[in-house]
Each structure stands twice: as structure tokens, then as C-alpha cells.
Amino acid sequence: MKRIAIFLTILLILNFFLYGCLRTEEDKDGDGLKDEKEKNGWDIRVVYPGEKNVTTYHVTSNPDKKDSDGDNLTDSEEFLYPGGRATDPNKKDTDEDGLTDFEEKNLGTDPTNWRHDIDGDGFIDYYEILFYEERNITHEKIMEYIQDRDVDNDGAIDGMDFDPLRDLKIKVWIKNIIIQSDMGDKDDMIEVEINVSAGKEWKKFYMPVIPYLNETLNFTCILDLDDTGEPGNASHPLIIVAKDLDEGAEKKLIDPVDGFPQYDFIKVFEGNEWVYSANFNIFTDCHPYHGFGVDGEIWFEVFDVSE
């Protein structure tokens, strides 16, 4: 009996080592994919950013490494990716869309096709990632943002938001004005009203001004801009109107057409205009301005005060 027990023990040991050797020969790295398959490889079908056509190429994986590209997906998981979309075991980001294959698996997107929009905000993830990367947003934050339809909570979804990171606002500072005309006033005092708008509302400022003197107005106002539009391409109207209200005996009659008083508009802008009107880009046009017209000069500055 003792000899039989020894024989059975030896047999079990041999069987264990034999099985281990065979298993090792089939799958040395233990990643669940046979070495033969890793050496022979498989085909990848991928659509790269900006393209519509499918690119097909052949890949192999390293039979000595469970995860050939170090993307946290084993070579077996790359070959047996859900939905039959085999990924490249030698590239962390098969479709080069800015998300690793591992991240796409967790997000439920296709790692072999760049055209996906996780949060349905109309901003393709590839372009949204580029937008945030250009603004030095960390990848960790980007992963949060591409799953949030309205990152800045301004009411405009990111794909239709001039700046998905900020609620756009500008500050207009009317600094000085020189009125080089008495504007027909007899009291040597011009009742100046400045009106400012960026399309959504009007801000008004009133101050009596002595002609021919450089008067400090120091009028500031904050204007909320319409955020709706293509990310990165902000264009808004900026309108500034200067007018002489005229008081007392100088007050104009009511216009019979529109029912408003007939103002004297003060031409202090280029081209002898009484109104400054321009397509304003908050990303490029925030700086000092100097207007010069037949009735005088005006100095103002625009600041980006977005939140």
C-alpha cells in the first residue's frame, strides 16, 4: 500500500508539471489568449479622426506580456473586445481620438471609430477633447467634461456654446469724452446720455458735460452676452450711442413718426457717426478704443469678465 501511495503521489506531481508545461506553451503570459493566436495576430478595422472610410491593418501581440501596450486591457480583451470590435494591442488609443481603449470600454464608446458624442451635446468628443486640451485642462477633468452637456451651467449645451467653460460677459468702461461743439445748446451745458448694448439689453449713463473740455465720464457696465454658437467663434453686436438729451427750452419736440423725443446725436465715432456698431469677438476684441468724429472724441475700453 505504501508503494502504491508513493506511486500515486509521483503520478500527481508529474501530471501537475506536465499540465503546467502544456498550459505555459499555449499561453505563457496567462492573458487568456493562446500564444499561437498572439503570434498570428488579427485584423483591425478603424476609422481615424476626420475620416469616413475604414482603414484595415493586421496586428500581432506579445505572447510574453499580458498587456502589450500597457493600456489596462489584456491582449485577450483587445482581441475579444465587446461588439466584435477588435482593438490594437500595441496602441493605447486605437482610433487616435484622445481616449484610450480602456477609457472607451468604461464609457461604452467605440474604440475603433472616432465619431461619438458621449453626452449628446452636439460636440463630437474628439473635438471637445481638443478644445479643452488647448486650454490646458487636465485629462482627468476632460473625462468629466465630455460627460457633462453644459459644463459652465449657462443654459447653452457645450456643442452650441461659444465658450463651454465660461458664461460670457464683458465690461464696457466709458472713460472720457470731449465735445468740440455746443450742439446748439444755449446754456453751455450738454446733457449727455451714453447707451451701451451687446444685443440683449441696454445700459444707460447720464452726465452734463461742458463743451470743449476733456470730461471724465468713468461709466462702467457689465453686459451678459448670448452664449449660443459654435465653440471658439464668438461674435456679438456691440453698440454705443452718444446723444444730447436737451433739457428745458432746448428740449426737442416729440417725433410724430415714432413718438420719441427728437434727440441731437453726438458724432464722436469714426466716419462722423453718432453710433459705434461692430461685430465684437470677445476672444480678440477686448482692448481700448478711441473714437473721433465731427462733434468730438470718446475713449472707452472693453474687458472680458466672463465667469
Side-chain angles (χ1 to χ4, degrees), residues 165-177:
L165 293 171
R166 304 184 302 160
D167 184 9
L168 298 182
K169 301 176 187 292
I170 58 171
K171 180 174 77 172
V172 180
W173 177 23
I174 309 295
K175 300 178 180 180
N176 295 72
I177 192 169

Side-chain angles (χ1 to χ4, degrees), residues 97-99 103 107 118-119 125-148 151 165:
D97 65 352
L99 296 171
E103 289 170 336
L107 292 168
I118 296 167
D119 54 10
D125 296 331
Y126 171 74
Y127 294 120
E128 191 165 3
I129 290 168
L130 286 180
F131 181 89
Y132 296 135
E133 286 179 342
E134 289 171 356
R135 287 152 181 80
N136 298 316
I137 306 298
T138 65
H139 189 73
E140 182 181 11
K141 272 293 181 186
I142 290 175
M143 289 294 290
E144 293 179 21
Y145 290 166
I146 62 175
Q147 299 177 76
D148 186 342
V151 171
L165 293 171

Side-chain angles (χ1 to χ4, degrees), residues 258-270:
D258 59 21
F260 291 100
Q262 299 177 18
Y263 301 113
D264 284 335
F265 291 101
I266 307 171
K267 298 178 179 180
V268 288
F269 299 105
E270 300 299 326

Side-chain angles (χ1 to χ4, degrees), residues 152 154 161-170 200 222-228 233-236 282-283 304-307:
D152 57 9
D154 63 356
D161 191 335
F162 285 128
D163 189 341
L165 293 171
R166 304 184 302 160
D167 184 9
L168 298 182
K169 301 176 187 292
I170 58 171
K200 295 179 70 174
I222 304 295
L223 298 174
D224 188 18
L225 304 182
D226 183 357
D227 291 74
T228 306
N233 295 317
S235 180
H236 299 87
I282 191 172
F283 303 123
D304 182 347
V305 292
S306 303
E307 300 171 346

Side-chain angles (χ1 to χ4, degrees), residues 147-215:
Q147 299 177 76
D148 186 342
R149 289 170 57 86
D150 183 8
V151 171
D152 57 9
N153 295 312
D154 63 356
I157 61 173
D158 297 335
M160 288 297 295
D161 191 335
F162 285 128
D163 189 341
L165 293 171
R166 304 184 302 160
D167 184 9
L168 298 182
K169 301 176 187 292
I170 58 171
K171 180 174 77 172
V172 180
W173 177 23
I174 309 295
K175 300 178 180 180
N176 295 72
I177 192 169
I178 299 177
I179 301 178
Q180 297 173 333
S181 166
D182 61 12
M183 300 299 297
D185 291 3
K186 300 176 181 179
D187 59 0
D188 293 327
M189 187 67 70
I190 300 172
E191 294 78 16
V192 174
E193 182 181 274
I194 304 292
N195 296 262
V196 184
S197 177
K200 295 179 70 174
E201 58 182 335
W202 284 94
K203 301 287 187 178
K204 296 182 180 181
F205 169 75
Y206 170 83
M207 180 176 176
V209 171
I210 299 174
Y212 308 106
L213 291 182
N214 188 338
E215 295 276 12

Side-chain angles (χ1 to χ4, degrees), residues 7 27 37 42 44 51 55 62 73 82 88 112 115 133 149 173 218 220 226 240 247 255 260 273 275:
F7 175 76
D27 183 11
K37 184 61 181 177
W42 57 89
I44 303 295
E51 297 183 4
T55 297
N62 188 340
L73 289 177
D88 190 335
T112 62
R115 291 190 65 85
E133 286 179 342
R149 289 170 57 86
W173 177 23
N218 201 27
T220 62
D226 183 357
I240 303 175
E247 298 293 339
D255 190 311
F260 291 100
E273 295 290 338
V275 58

